[in-house]
Amino acid sequence: MAAYWRWGMCGSLFSWRKQTTSDLYHREERGVASSLFSTPVKTVTISGGTHGNEYTGIWCIKAIEKQRELFNANAEATDAPDTKVINVFKEYPSLSIDTLLANPKAYMANRRFIDTDMNREFSIKKLQHTTETYSEENDASCDSSQTSLPYESIRAKEIESMFGAPKTGSTGGDGDANSDIVIDLHTTTANMGITLIFTEGDALMSAAAAYALHKCKTEYGYENVHILLLPKTEKNHRTHLPSVGKHDFTIEVGPTPQGVIRHDIVEQTEAALHSLLEFLHISNMELENKTTGATVLDRLRSAFPNGVPCYQSAPAVGAKELHGKIQWPTLDDNPNFPAAMVHKSLQDRDYQPLRTGDPLFVGLDGAVIPYDGSYGDEVLLMFVNEGGYYYSSSGTGIGVAVFSRYDFETGNNVEA
C-alpha cells in the first residue's frame, strides 16, 4: 500500500507522521469536507530539458522512467526490496504520470537551445506563425526538411500538438489539453534556491505550491524556498512550455552550473516535485473517499491565515520585456555579450533589496553604474547573473520582483 506524509494534529500544527493510503479508506464518515476541486487530477506530465544544458531536469525524468521500469517489474513481486528512494508510481497511484524530454537536440548538444529559446515559443501567435510558415514552405518546396523556422519553433508546435493542440486546435484556441498538469523542471546559475512558479489566478497550483513550500521547509529542512507568482495572463498568450497543460507549474532550482548534474540540486528538485505530487494524490484520495474532518486545505488555512508569502515579477517597462527586468548593455558586435558586468555586491543575493543609487553594473572601463530607480526606489532582485539570460532570445538582464502574498484558495494576490 502506498505511503505518504500528512499532517498530524498533535504537537506542532505541522508535525508530520507517516500514514498509508489505507488510513484514508477507513476514516470515519462525518460528512463530506469541502474541497478545492470538484474532480480529481488524473494526468501529470513532468518535462525536463526545455533548455538542453539544464541537466538536472533531464536526470529527474530519466530517473522517473527507471522508477516506472522497476515498478512494473516488481508489481506482482511479494519480496521487492525496500528502498528509501521514492518511486512516484508506488507512492502516488492516483496519478497517471508521464515524462517529456522537451528539447532532445539541445540536450544532445549540451546547449541551452539550437536556434532560439524554446520557453518563449508557446504563445498562440508564435505557434500559429510556425504552422502557417511551415505549411507554406512545404507547399513551395515539397521538402519538409527545408525550412527557415528555428528548430525550437517547430519542436514547440510538435509538443503543443502532442498535448491535443489546446491553443491552436479546431476549437479556436479554447481546446482542452490532454494533460491536467505539466510540471517543467529547470535549474538556474543564480542563487534562487527552490523556487516554485505558477501564474496568478490558478487556485489548484496555488494550493499545491503552498503545500510544497511548507513541506520543503519543515520536513526536508530547506530554508531557501520561495514562490514566484507570475502575472495573470491568458493561457493562449503564455510563452512557456508547461502552458500546454490545463494547469502549468515550473520548478526552478539553483545555483548550479549549466551542463552539470549536482546530487544536492537533484535532491532539492525531487523534494519539490514529490511535495507537489503528494498534495495532488492526497487531494484525490480525499475526493474519492469523501473525506471528513480536517482536510489538507484546512491545514493550509491554519498555516497561512494571512495569505501565502510570495514574490511577484515586477511589471515590464521595456517594449520587449515579458516581465520586469533590468537589462545590461551589450556589445555592438555580439548581443549575447554584456558590455557591463553585475556588480560584486549583488552576486548571489537573489530576493534581496536594491535601492536607487546602489552599485548595479561595472563597465569595461571599470566605472560603477548605479541603479537609476527605473522600477522604484527599492526593488528585489532575482535571477541575478543567470547564465541563461546572457542570450538575447531569452531576454538579457536581472529579474525584478516585489514581495507579496496570495490567497491559495483563489490563487489571487492579496495585500502584502
Side-chain angles (χ1 to χ4, degrees):
M1 185 65 69
Y4 61 92
W5 293 88
R6 67 171 296 114
W7 290 303
M9 296 307 291
C10 57
S12 63
L13 177 64
F14 281 89
S15 61
W16 294 83
R17 68 183 182 88
K18 197 165 187 180
Q19 294 188 331
T20 63
T21 307
S22 60
D23 292 333
L24 289 176
Y25 288 94
H26 300 98
R27 185 169 292 166
E28 181 182 359
E29 293 292 329
R30 291 175 297 182
V32 179
S34 62
S35 174
L36 188 64
F37 323 119
S38 59
T39 57
V41 171
K42 296 180 180 179
T43 55
V44 178
T45 301
I46 303 166
S47 60
T50 299
H51 297 133
N53 60 1
E54 295 181 8
Y55 276 5
T56 298
I58 298 169
W59 176 276
C60 289
I61 64 171
K62 288 184 176 294
I64 288 171
E65 289 307 319
K66 174 59 70 173
Q67 293 165 25
R68 188 194 306 276
E69 176 186 327
L70 294 173
F71 179 77
N72 291 337
N74 295 324
E76 298 181 2
T78 59
D79 57 349
D82 290 333
T83 176
K84 294 182 179 180
V85 177
I86 289 178
N87 186 307
V88 297
F89 302 99
K90 177 182 178 182
E91 296 296 320
Y92 318 118
S94 69
L95 303 174
S96 176
I97 299 172
D98 288 317
T99 63
L100 171 69
L101 177 55
N103 195 333
K105 283 190 176 182
Y107 154 63
M108 293 301 295
N110 190 14
R111 294 168 55 178
R112 182 174 175 86
F113 51 77
I114 299 299
D115 296 317
T116 193
D117 190 334
M118 192 165 72
N119 223 26
R120 307 292 185 268
E121 294 297 309
F122 286 89
S123 68
I124 188 171
K125 181 179 180 179
K126 286 196 173 183
L127 292 168
Q128 288 177 337
H129 172 74
T130 297
T131 301
E132 294 166 0
T133 302
Y134 193 75
S135 177
E136 292 171 359
E137 291 179 343
N138 286 345
D139 289 344
S141 67
C142 298
D143 183 358
S144 61
S145 66
Q146 300 299 315
T147 178
S148 62
L149 290 165
Y151 164 71
E152 279 78 13
S153 298
I154 297 173
R155 178 61 176 161
K157 185 63 188 78
E158 289 176 352
I159 291 172
E160 194 245 356
S161 297
M162 290 166 54
F163 285 86
K167 297 188 180 186
T168 64
S170 59
T171 54
D174 294 323
D176 287 331
N178 56 24
S179 186
D180 291 332
I181 301 170
V182 177
I183 304 171
D184 201 18
L185 306 180
H186 285 261
T187 53
T188 171
T189 62
N191 188 26
M192 295 283 286
I194 299 173
T195 297
L196 312 168
I197 307 173
F198 67 94
T199 302
E200 182 181 358
D202 189 328
L204 173 60
M205 293 296 89
S206 71
Y211 184 96
L213 172 72
H214 200 279
K215 180 163 185 178
C216 284
K217 286 191 170 187
T218 59
E219 183 179 344
Y220 288 107
Y222 296 120
E223 296 181 0
N224 195 12
V225 188
H226 312 279
I227 291 175
L228 176 58
L229 191 63
L230 299 178
K232 282 186 179 180
T233 309
E234 289 186 15
K235 182 172 285 290
N236 279 349
H237 300 303
R238 298 176 195 172
T239 64
H240 53 295
L241 181 150
S243 64
V244 297
K246 293 178 183 177
H247 302 272
D248 49 274
F249 201 97
T250 299
I251 298 173
E252 187 96 41
V253 182
T256 187
Q258 298 169 342
V260 170
I261 304 170
R262 281 180 47 167
H263 188 193
D264 57 338
I265 300 299
V266 169
E267 286 187 328
Q268 291 175 49
T269 301
E270 290 182 334
L273 176 61
H274 293 159
S275 298
L276 287 172
L277 297 177
E278 179 178 280
F279 172 82
L280 298 172
H281 175 62
I282 292 174
S283 298
N284 283 348
M285 292 297 95
E286 290 182 345
L287 279 171
E288 179 179 330
N289 297 288
K290 300 180 180 179
T291 298
T292 61
T295 66
V296 63
L297 297 180
D298 291 328
R299 297 185 176 93
L300 288 177
R301 292 183 190 106
S302 297
F304 302 107
N306 299 315
V308 183
C310 68
Y311 297 88
Q312 287 187 285
S313 296
V317 297
K320 297 182 179 180
E321 294 176 4
L322 292 174
H323 312 296
K325 186 175 283 188
I326 301 174
Q327 296 184 342
W328 50 60
T330 58
L331 297 183
D332 293 337
D333 64 346
N334 185 351
N336 298 324
F337 194 93
M341 63 181 172
V342 175
H343 193 275
K344 63 183 180 181
S345 64
L346 302 182
Q347 188 62 52
D348 301 324
R349 290 182 56 80
D350 296 81
Y351 300 114
Q352 299 301 310
L354 175 73
R355 300 174 181 85
T356 300
D358 285 350
L360 178 58
F361 299 125
V362 179
L364 288 167
D365 58 1
V368 174
I369 303 171
Y371 170 55
D372 63 5
S374 55
Y375 284 90
D377 290 338
E378 179 177 304
V379 296
L380 303 175
L381 300 182
M382 59 183 180
F383 293 104
V384 176
N385 215 4
E386 155 59 28
Y389 292 168
Y390 279 59
Y391 297 96
S392 58
S393 67
S394 299
T396 58
I398 304 173
V400 181
V402 294
F403 180 78
S404 187
R405 293 181 184 273
Y406 71 85
D407 178 352
F408 74 83
E409 297 191 63
T410 65
N412 291 326
N413 176 54
V414 296
E415 290 293 330

